[in-house]
């Protein structure tokens, strides 16, 4: 994979507050550790983590416009605006930063929602976003402990945390997140049956 990491860091970090960039650095660190632990490509994990929040602080109307004008997942427009940045970020990574690796782009695209059939890299970037060292929310330490032994168990706990939070707030839950969680439970069940 051929890219200028320093130039990407400069471009991405310039588009967000320092506090968010610190989060991105934590996700990069966590993603590389998880990649090494679970046998994924640490260079791809680092790149996807670097790019995962690149559109996070763009104006919502600009993100919506990109989704509408470029044939992206329009279902996102009907849900929490916090979901838009992942889809838009994957698009911008491809068209403006020249990232062509589909696995990296998908890990950016699905880091907030998950999806059915998550790849190893999808799981790593999504989980790294939950457990990076700066994250503080109820249950994060438990998710970190689970991450030592099982990507799937840790991600299920992460999705459970997100879903519980949304239920408490009376907010809608993006259907893909529920489907991703259920798929991970099926994967876990199959792997336990195979033991």
């Amino acid at each position: 994979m051929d890219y200028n990491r320093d130039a990407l860091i400069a471009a991405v970090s310039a588009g967000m507050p320092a506090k968010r960039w610190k989060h991105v650095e934590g996700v990069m660190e966590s993603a590389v550790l998880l990649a090494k632990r679970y046998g994924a490509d640490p260079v791809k994990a680092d790149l996807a983590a670097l790019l995962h929040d690149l559109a996070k602080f763009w104006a919502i109307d600009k993100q919506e416009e990109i989704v509408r004008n470029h044939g992206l997942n329009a279902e996102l427009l009907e849900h929490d605006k916090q979901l838009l940045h992942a889809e838009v970020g994957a698009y911008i990574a491809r068209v403006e930063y020249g990232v062509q690796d589909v696995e990296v782009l998908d890990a950016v695209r699905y880091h907030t929602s998950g999806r059915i059939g998550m790849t190893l890299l999808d799981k790593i970037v999504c989980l790294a976003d939950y457990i990076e060292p700066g994250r503080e929310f109820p249950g994060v330490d438990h998710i970190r402990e689970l991450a030592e032994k099982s990507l799937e168990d840790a991600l299920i706990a992460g999705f459970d945390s997100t879903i519980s939070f949304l239920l408490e707030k009376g907010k809608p839950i993006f259907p893909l997140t529920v489907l991703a969680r259920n798929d991970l439970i099926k994967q876990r069940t199959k792997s336990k049956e195979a033991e």
Side-chain angles (χ1 to χ4, degrees), residues 97-131:
Y97 297 123
V99 177
Q100 298 302 313
D101 188 301
V102 173
E103 195 179 7
V104 169
L105 295 172
D106 280 347
V108 173
R109 180 174 289 113
Y110 297 109
H111 82 269
T112 53
S113 64
R115 64 170 166 164
I116 295 172
M118 290 178 81
T119 65
L120 181 57
L121 190 61
D122 290 349
K123 292 174 185 178
I124 283 168
V125 175
C126 186
L127 183 57
D129 193 28
Y130 273 114
I131 67 169

Side-chain angles (χ1 to χ4, degrees), residues 20 52-68 73-89 108-109 111-113 165-166 171-175 177:
R20 176 54 55 161
H52 85 282
D53 272 354
L54 82 90
K56 178 89 174 177
F57 287 90
W58 290 20
I60 293 298
D61 57 352
K62 180 178 179 182
Q63 292 185 56
E64 289 174 333
E65 186 180 315
I66 290 169
V67 169
R68 281 192 196 95
N73 184 358
E75 185 185 359
L76 292 166
L77 299 170
E78 306 304 317
H79 291 276
D80 192 320
K81 302 303 182 203
Q82 291 297 317
L83 293 167
L84 291 170
H85 78 277
E87 183 85 7
V88 172
V108 173
R109 180 174 289 113
H111 82 269
T112 53
S113 64
F165 174 79
L166 293 171
K171 292 188 168 193
I173 300 164
F174 190 51
T177 301

Side-chain angles (χ1 to χ4, degrees), residues 12-28 49-58 82 85 111-112 128-130 132 134-135:
V12 173
S13 63
M16 60 184 62
K19 184 178 179 185
R20 176 54 55 161
W21 176 246
K22 190 164 176 50
H23 160 74
V24 171
E25 290 179 315
V27 176
M28 291 163 66
L50 166 57
L51 296 168
H52 85 282
D53 272 354
L54 82 90
K56 178 89 174 177
F57 287 90
W58 290 20
Q82 291 297 317
H85 78 277
H111 82 269
T112 53
D129 193 28
Y130 273 114
E132 64 92 357
R135 284 286 200 207

